[in-house]
Amino acid sequence: MIIDLASQVAVVTGASRGIGAAVASSLASCGAHVVVNYRESRDRAEEVVAGITGSGGSAEAIRFDVADEEQVKQAFQDIAGRHGHIDILVNNAGVSKDALLLRARSKDIGEMMDTNLKGSIFCSFHASRYMLRQKSGRIINVSSIVGMGGNPGQSVYAATKAGLIGFTKSLAKELGPKGILVNAVAPGLIETDMTRDIDMGSLMEGIPLRRIGTPDDVARVVAFLCSSLSSYITGQVLVIDGGLYT
Ligand code: NAP
């Protein structure tokens, strides 16, 4: 059994680095044309595209800030206009600005809410307009185990990731009858720029699989959720954490 996403158009937000870059490569290797979204890291987004096209896949890099609804609307209009359809949306773009609540800066609180939560809502809104016309589509939201179990110093980040779970479940109920499946993944500790400053060694003991996750560990599960292999799964949160949250 293989995952075949040939002729599908997938938009992956925050795909210039880390988990998003791995998801973009994974979906492209399954045959999808992938829109590699970025906000600041243009060179890295172009590298992701070059890696995909160099392996025989199809991709393009597009800049938009998921937190800016006008930019999101314009981007999805352009993508749908050029390709005629949007089949997959992976809401991956995210930021974490860790601080104990009483030390949290209002600017950082706003950025996490605007990017992680409102950004995913804006993208889902604009992508689902096209998916509804097609009567098919997949939306995958990248949440976190922190949104399920909490973590000191990450209360605002956790709120955005928990919010994404409620959003996923509600949207799955709204869009299921229209043929659109909505799920979330909840990664644990994954080795990316976001976790670069964490002392991984001290956390290893708590992970039954005794290793930090890789972006590919997450990307494979996202590909499964985009494929016909998961055609009867919606409104779910798949935890990808080596057993950390168990
Ligand atoms: P990362 O390496 O820091 O990459 C973040 C990505 O998000 C970058 O491509 C960045 O693009 C993009 N981005 C940030 N703000 C954006 C905006 N306003 N508009 C568009 N793109 C934006 O992070 P990561 O570790 O791969 O995390 C990816 C997702 O997984 C996030 O939602 C994160 O919360 C979640 N997650 C990560 C872990 C982990 O352990 N790493 C665990 C659980 C959940 P530019 O560089 O171009 O700005």
Side-chain angles (χ1 to χ4, degrees), residues 1 4 21 33 36 90 141-142 164 169 193-194 207:
M1 224 179 285
D4 182 6
H33 171 78
V36 173
V90 182
N141 295 316
V142 180
L164 272 181
K169 290 180 179 291
D193 292 347
M194 190 178 273
I207 304 174

Side-chain angles (χ1 to χ4, degrees), residues 12 22 25 40 64 80 102-103 112 136 145 168-169 171 184 199 203 207 228 240:
V12 183
S25 301
E40 286 173 358
F64 62 89
L102 292 186
R103 293 196 186 145
M112 282 187 274
S136 68
I145 58 165
T168 300
K169 290 180 179 291
L171 202 59
D199 174 13
L203 296 165
I207 304 174
S228 59
I240 310 159

Side-chain angles (χ1 to χ4, degrees), residues 11 13 89-93 119-120 123-124 139-142 164 167:
V11 180
T13 68
L89 166 66
V90 182
N91 283 313
N92 167 78
S120 300
C123 291
S124 302
I139 298 175
I140 319 298
N141 295 316
V142 180
L164 272 181
F167 178 61

